[in-house]
Amino acid sequence: AVLGIVADKTGYPQDMLDLDLDLEADLGIDTVKQAETFAAVRQEFDIPVQEDLSLRDYPTLERVIGFVHDMRPDLAEVGEQRSEVGEQQAGAVSVVGDADETVISNVQYHVEDADKMPRRVPVPALRPALDYCKPTGITLDENSRVIVMMDSGGVGRSLVGRLQKLGVTTLQLSPEIETEALIAELEGWLAESAIQGVYWLPALDVEPDLEEMDLTTWRELNRRRIKNLYTTMRTLYDAVAGANTFLVVATRLGGLHGYGEQGASAPLGGAVVGFSKAYGVERSMRAESGEGVLVKAVDFEISRKTAEPADQLIAETLYDPGITEVGYYRGLRYTVTLVEKSAADGGSGMSLGPETVFVVTGAAGGITSAIVSDLAAASRGVFYLLDLVQAPTPDDAHVQLYRHDPEALKRKLIEDARAQGERPTPVQIEQQMQVIERSEAALRAIETVEAAGGTAYYHAVNLLDGDAVSAIVQEIRQSYGRIDVLLHAGGTLIDRILPNKEPEQFALVYDIKADGFFSLLKAAKGMPIGATVAFSSVAGRFGNNGQSDYSAANDLLCKITSSMRSWRPHTRGIAVDWTAWDEIGMASRGSVPVIMAELGIDMLPPESGIPTIRRELTYGATRGEIVVAGRLGVWMEEGDASGGLDSNKISELISRRRLLMVGEVTAANLYGDLEVETHLDPAVQPFLYDHAPDEGTPWLPGVMATEALAEVASLLAPGYEIVAVEHEEMMGAFKFFRMEPRTLYLDAQISPDGDGLRAHVVLRSKTVPKREGLPIQIKDHFFASIRLGPTTLVTPTVDFTPPSDGDLPITARSVYKTFFHGPAYQVIERARVDGNCAIGRFAADLPPNTVPADSASLVAPRLVELCFQLAALWRQEVKGATAIPIGFDSLVTYRQESESVGSLYGTVSTSDDGETFDCQVVDTSGAVYVELSGYRTVARPLA
């Protein structure tokens, strides 16, 4: 009965299932399938669930049968005593190429289908200063023993000095240390006492230009930065574990992890970051107490400073548990988040045609082969196809049998092995099947290119052989003189947690991607490349359990791609972080789909994935890294409920700055933005009870909504001023029904923008239905893009002659007979409408706008209100209807209402018969207080 269950799970006949075969190594039953197998066995024999059952204790079929005997002694006497076995490894698959598998042919894909999946772009996002963040739970004191892998620029020396002042004992290691000596040092220090954490600094060192290195230098730099890191954390795996332990790595990617306009400055640090993210995921998943190792990757700008980075590394160890990636750029802290962006970015895309020269590595992978087919059909171009496997002849018997009946091929391989006196196992047969599948995929890639009318050159090459790769590139140089698209898809997977990942396995997974990309780019020095497309993975973006090597290699590819902005500015560097593919690819097999579903992660449909590369090449001027995935499940979960923010400390900041429109900051999320909730009472605030268009129902004035957006945008950027509020959309009135208090919900995402910052801020409402069971209604009311700068704006001056009262015949009494505004918002004292213009004097001695009256004002809301009302007055006088605001292009505030000495005047003009308005508010000397451009309204009939 047990053999029947296992045969069902593996698809292999019972006569292949010898009792001493290892469930995973020989039968290919991974962790999830083993759990499913045990569940089926319990059901078959009516065995209750064992809460303390460990699958590692049952590595063979003989042990599984012994489990049944133990639980049901009535069936048989207990057999042999069990022997202890090592920790069960994650499912291991080793192939060369990121994909294998199911043949997809004779299918046409449409580039529009790629848009059916979200397209996310990693971008830097502003973080709160550490003064406003929670502690991480790490303590550094006389009980701490810490390893510091030094850099060559002095940051390590400064760091060690500061640690020693805290009482910390340090082991300082040279970045040039040989691997064997490193292991000996670590084991010796570990034998003395516990080790709390590791600071890893070699990636702070400036690197030679990639094209100036040879392969030997490249490999040595990688050994120091990443392979020694693997060795260190593998050696310390059981020591640096649980609460109050840490791994903090430092890089010199430019302060923004390579996601700024300049790209990555020292891209080899990407491997260190990728490894660290995977290490953090692995430790968190294995943390029995629920508390994993603190992992941070701290990025810095190119600089000779040593004291400041050392201070920041210690501070990052002690504060902000909400993020892993953090960087310091122009005095501010940043992390990396994701935003959805279209590939149609307004740039000029590439035209694919018969003259287009493609170079594709990993061409015999199932996914890559399908993408090649799509590109060939679109271009009929020239394809250099590179893979480790030899391309078979079209009449290869195994390939033909695979194409017509894969199960028959499997049976034949079993029969052939037995005929030779061998004892085949399911894993051995699967490995043979994979080789044949790759041969078929290689042949299919060639056939589809030629069938489309293109030209295919196939090369069997090992990407680790730099000379062989270079020879192929030189052939292309001589024949065509350029590469239009370099598609680097070669790679391999050997998924194991660090204790079980042997050095040669780590090196193989890492080097195929890393050395392969390096050798291609090095060989192509001086040759035009239109675009490089590196196949990365969500494992590189987020890290993944058992994939420290794969994550390191993929993040390295992303950072090399980023760095090309500086040393290959005419090449569009693109890196694609794929999620697991459905139907084709390694992840479509076995238990991966089940695991993905449990983690809330969507598989990628081939009809969306295959045309993605064509979209990125042709839609626009795509550069940089993109994430191609649906739901990302656990990868998008926050590391801390409040995003690492200390609410008490941030509340003190709000109070100190008198920010009325910023109530409570509830979170500074990595993927959910800065979140603010502001509670307003219309019975208290003049800007509400004096702004009631609907028979006593207050509306949040658009100018106060703008003030709220600006205050939230400025909160995390001390020393930065609001430069402009741009592209504001007023999408619907925020009403206070029955004069009841309501809460504004504001979200802000803030990124670097040239010398300043740009914040995207939205103001929402959330309405809880009176009836239970109905969903909460969430509505967007206001949105704006806000620019901030590090210096105060210089007030411009215009020629202006203040009009006399006689030149302003429309009085406030006349205006507010039809306008609804109460005393605090009766901002027009006198006015005139003349042709396409309106001018008005700002009312003096207005009641306070807010309670308390001295609340902050960033955008001079009532001066902006003067502009709004003058535009409404123009529409009333000229069009016979009043107007309510719906948005504007730009608002610049130079001075606040409280700064005026004499009278202020607003001038409004329209050049398109009231479709849009431009406005200035000035004083009697012509000094400009407010500039509003592109103001838009919608007509509202007069009562």
Side-chain angles (χ1 to χ4, degrees):
V2 170
L3 290 177
I5 292 170
V6 175
D8 180 65
K9 298 296 180 185
T10 62
Y12 282 89
Q14 290 190 32
D15 60 3
M16 286 187 65
L17 305 179
D18 294 331
L19 299 187
D20 60 344
L21 294 179
D22 187 279
L23 291 178
E24 184 171 8
D26 297 318
L27 301 182
I29 305 176
D30 63 20
T31 304
V32 173
K33 286 295 183 184
Q34 288 182 42
E36 293 175 357
T37 300
F38 263 85
V41 168
R42 287 197 305 268
Q43 181 177 2
E44 174 73 20
F45 296 104
D46 194 25
I47 298 172
V49 174
Q50 308 296 305
E51 296 294 343
D52 59 348
L53 178 70
S54 176
L55 294 179
R56 73 180 66 176
D57 293 332
Y58 303 95
T60 66
L61 287 176
E62 190 171 29
R63 295 292 188 266
V64 176
I65 294 170
F67 166 77
V68 176
H69 291 165
D70 284 345
M71 297 297 103
R72 291 290 306 276
D74 55 308
L75 298 178
E77 292 191 4
V78 178
E80 67 197 273
Q81 178 160 3
R82 285 133 183 80
S83 61
E84 297 222 355
V85 296
E87 179 174 6
Q88 181 174 320
Q89 300 171 345
V93 180
S94 179
V95 297
V96 179
D98 273 351
D100 272 297
E101 305 77 87
T102 302
V103 177
I104 291 191
S105 57
N106 301 319
V107 179
Q108 286 188 334
Y109 295 96
H110 304 285
V111 71
E112 296 80 8
D113 290 333
D115 295 333
K116 293 179 180 178
M117 295 296 285
R119 179 185 185 274
R120 301 177 178 93
V121 178
V123 298
L126 188 66
R127 286 293 294 173
L130 287 174
D131 291 343
Y132 306 109
C133 293
K134 295 177 180 177
T136 60
I138 301 295
T139 58
L140 292 172
D141 54 27
E142 63 277 1
N143 298 313
S144 302
R145 299 176 77 244
V146 170
I147 290 171
V148 181
M149 177 61 80
M150 306 291 278
D151 64 321
S152 300
V155 174
R157 289 192 299 274
S158 294
L159 176 62
V160 168
R162 283 156 173 75
L163 290 172
Q164 290 175 345
K165 288 181 180 179
L166 294 172
V168 177
T169 303
T170 62
L171 172 63
Q172 303 164 47
L173 299 171
S174 168
E176 292 87 7
I177 189 171
E178 293 298 327
T179 303
E180 294 75 13
L182 172 62
I183 295 173
E185 287 269 16
L186 294 171
E187 291 179 343
W189 217 52
L190 189 60
E192 295 176 7
S193 186
I195 297 175
Q196 181 186 2
V198 175
Y199 286 103
W200 196 263
L201 310 183
L204 287 174
D205 293 335
V206 176
E207 304 161 5
D209 292 341
L210 185 141
E211 290 183 321
E212 301 307 316
M213 288 187 258
D214 57 24
L215 187 56
T216 300
T217 302
W218 164 264
R219 287 173 171 167
E220 174 59 16
L221 293 178
N222 275 280
R223 185 191 70 83
R224 296 179 186 183
R225 286 160 174 76
I226 184 62
K227 293 182 179 175
N228 276 352
L229 177 58
Y230 149 78
T231 299
T232 298
M233 301 317 295
R234 185 171 187 246
T235 304
L236 302 179
Y237 197 77
D238 293 329
V240 182
N244 202 28
T245 62
F246 65 89
L247 167 64
V248 174
V249 304
T251 57
R252 197 73 76 174
L253 296 164
L256 297 172
H257 283 272
Y259 298 107
E261 295 177 358
Q262 303 304 315
S265 51
L268 282 175
V272 174
V273 177
F275 175 94
S276 301
K277 289 184 289 189
Y279 182 77
V281 171
E282 183 172 307
R283 295 320 311 239
S284 66
M285 294 183 68
R286 301 180 60 78
E288 296 180 1
S289 65
E291 297 183 3
V293 179
L294 173 75
V295 176
K296 278 199 177 177
V298 189
D299 189 37
F300 297 98
E301 298 174 81
I302 297 292
S303 170
R304 294 183 179 180
K305 295 179 181 178
T306 60
E308 186 175 0
D311 288 334
Q312 290 162 338
L313 286 169
I314 292 176
E316 290 292 345
T317 310
L318 301 177
Y319 294 98
D320 194 355
I323 56 173
T324 296
E325 293 166 291
V326 64
Y328 285 83
Y329 181 72
R330 294 183 176 177
L332 297 175
R333 295 179 74 235
Y334 291 89
T335 188
V336 181
T337 189
L338 298 175
V339 297
E340 290 193 24
K341 290 185 180 180
S342 170
D345 55 12
S348 178
M350 179 182 294
S351 296
L352 304 180
E355 302 302 316
T356 305
V357 179
F358 297 85
V359 177
V360 183
T361 69
I367 291 170
T368 312
S369 180
I371 290 172
V372 166
S373 299
D374 179 73
L375 294 173
S379 68
R380 294 177 290 117
V382 178
F383 286 80
Y384 280 81
L385 306 174
L386 283 58
D387 203 283
L388 184 63
V389 301
Q390 296 287 338
T393 59
D395 59 353
D396 183 282
H398 282 160
V399 168
Q400 292 304 317
L401 184 55
Y402 170 79
R403 286 182 168 181
H404 293 94
D405 191 346
E407 289 302 315
L409 173 61
K410 186 182 295 185
R411 291 193 297 271
K412 184 178 186 305
L413 294 176
I414 295 171
E415 293 167 0
D416 290 348
R418 287 174 171 169
Q420 295 176 14
E422 298 176 359
R423 178 192 178 194
T425 67
V427 164
Q428 291 171 344
I429 298 301
E430 283 300 316
Q431 289 173 345
Q432 293 180 51
M433 288 288 290
Q434 288 175 15
V435 172
I436 296 169
E437 286 173 4
R438 292 195 66 80
S439 296
E440 189 281 330
L443 180 61
R444 176 160 36 98
I446 297 169
E447 291 173 342
T448 55
V449 169
E450 294 175 344
T455 303
Y457 299 99
Y458 188 89
H459 291 268
V461 62
N462 186 341
L463 292 178
L464 301 181
D465 187 340
D467 291 340
V469 171
S470 180
I472 296 170
V473 174
Q474 295 314 311
E475 176 186 324
I476 299 168
R477 188 191 296 269
Q478 293 173 7
S479 299
Y480 297 96
R482 73 183 190 283
I483 297 172
D484 294 303
V485 179
L486 171 56
L487 186 64
H488 182 43
T492 187
L493 277 177
I494 307 175
D495 290 355
R496 285 176 170 82
I497 61 172
L498 276 183
N500 299 331
K501 192 181 292 286
E502 298 298 328
E504 61 274 12
Q505 295 169 340
F506 186 97
L508 178 64
V509 172
Y510 183 82
D511 291 346
I512 288 175
K513 280 184 170 287
D515 290 6
F517 202 36
F518 168 81
S519 294
L520 287 164
L521 293 173
K522 170 72 173 177
K525 180 180 178 180
M527 180 162 53
I529 301 178
T532 61
V533 182
F535 273 27
S536 180
S537 165
V538 288
R541 173 85 300 273
F542 302 104
N544 200 19
N545 185 37
Q547 293 189 337
S548 55
D549 40 15
Y550 193 63
S551 178
N554 281 309
D555 212 4
L556 172 70
L557 297 188
C558 292
K559 300 310 188 288
I560 292 175
T561 297
S562 170
S563 75
M564 290 168 63
R565 297 178 192 179
S566 62
W567 57 274
R568 259 195 181 273
H570 301 297
T571 298
R572 289 169 52 198
I574 303 169
V576 184
D577 297 333
W578 299 109
T579 189
W581 285 58
D582 199 8
E583 299 181 36
I584 56 175
M586 293 178 288
S588 66
R589 296 176 161 186
S591 302
V592 173
V594 176
I595 295 172
M596 290 294 195
E598 291 176 349
L599 296 176
I601 300 168
D602 290 333
M603 305 285 281
L604 179 63
E607 61 269 21
S608 293
I610 289 171
T612 290
I613 300 302
R614 179 156 50 103
R615 176 191 68 184
E616 298 304 320
L617 293 172
T618 62
Y619 263 28
T622 297
R623 283 176 181 262
E625 184 178 347
I626 63 169
V627 178
V628 177
R631 293 180 307 144
L632 287 165
V634 295
W635 281 319
M636 297 285 282
E637 291 180 358
E638 297 294 329
D640 180 81
S642 68
L645 193 70
D646 187 314
S647 58
N648 292 328
K649 292 179 179 179
I650 202 75
S651 294
E652 294 172 2
L653 173 66
I654 295 167
S655 176
R656 188 165 60 251
R657 292 186 57 192
R658 297 178 286 109
L659 299 176
L660 176 67
M661 302 305 290
V662 179
E664 177 188 3
V665 181
T666 57
N669 291 322
L670 175 56
Y671 298 114
D673 308 333
L674 178 71
E675 296 180 0
V676 173
E677 297 180 10
T678 302
H679 196 65
L680 296 177
D681 188 343
V684 173
Q685 292 299 340
F687 65 81
L688 293 177
Y689 60 68
D690 280 348
H691 192 270
D694 291 339
E695 298 180 358
T697 298
W699 293 14
L700 177 68
V703 295
M704 290 306 292
T706 304
E707 176 70 23
L709 300 178
E711 289 185 13
V712 172
S714 71
L715 181 63
L716 300 184
Y720 281 69
E721 304 288 338
I722 301 295
V723 173
V725 180
E726 298 177 333
H727 313 301
E728 179 159 333
E729 298 293 334
M730 303 175 179
M731 297 166 281
F734 191 110
K735 300 182 181 182
F736 290 77
F737 300 104
R738 296 177 295 278
M739 289 294 289
E740 294 176 353
R742 294 192 71 185
T743 300
L744 316 181
Y745 296 88
L746 297 116
D747 289 353
Q749 184 181 90
I750 308 168
S751 299
D753 182 45
D755 293 333
L757 301 168
R758 183 173 292 276
H760 298 283
V761 194
V762 62
L763 187 157
R764 299 185 172 96
S765 65
K766 296 182 181 180
T767 303
V768 180
K770 298 295 184 183
R771 289 179 53 191
E772 292 186 6
L774 295 177
I776 296 175
Q777 298 175 7
I778 300 176
K779 183 178 180 180
D780 292 354
H781 293 270
F782 298 89
F783 167 82
S785 174
I786 300 176
R787 287 192 294 123
L788 300 96
T791 57
T792 302
L793 294 174
V794 177
T795 302
T797 302
V798 297
D799 290 333
F800 178 73
T801 302
S804 65
D805 285 0
D807 290 332
L808 301 173
I810 303 173
T811 65
R813 184 174 182 180
S814 173
V815 171
Y816 295 106
K817 277 184 179 180
T818 55
F819 282 22
F820 60 83
H821 306 82
Y825 270 66
Q826 292 179 359
V827 296
I828 299 177
E829 187 172 272
R830 303 188 69 90
R832 179 183 78 236
V833 175
D834 184 12
N836 65 349
C837 298
I839 184 171
R841 186 163 68 218
F842 185 67
D845 301 323
L846 288 172
N849 182 38
T850 61
V851 174
D854 65 346
S855 296
S857 173
L858 301 185
V859 298
R862 287 199 295 195
L863 298 186
V864 180
E865 180 70 16
L866 176 63
C867 297
F868 286 9
Q869 291 189 26
L870 286 172
L873 182 64
W874 181 93
R875 184 178 286 276
Q876 175 178 289
E877 295 295 311
V878 176
K879 300 293 186 180
T882 187
I884 56 176
I886 58 173
F888 55 78
D889 293 338
S890 175
L891 167 65
V892 180
T893 300
Y894 298 98
R895 292 184 179 182
Q896 301 299 323
E897 175 187 337
S898 60
E899 296 179 64
S900 64
V901 176
S903 297
L904 298 175
Y905 296 84
T907 60
V908 169
S909 64
T910 177
S911 59
D912 50 19
D913 198 32
E915 293 294 321
T916 61
F917 297 88
D918 294 329
C919 176
Q920 282 186 332
V921 176
V922 301
D923 64 15
T924 55
S925 71
V928 179
Y929 280 59
V930 165
E931 284 184 330
L932 178 68
S933 61
Y935 172 58
R936 304 183 305 281
T937 64
V938 63
R940 193 180 193 210
L942 292 171

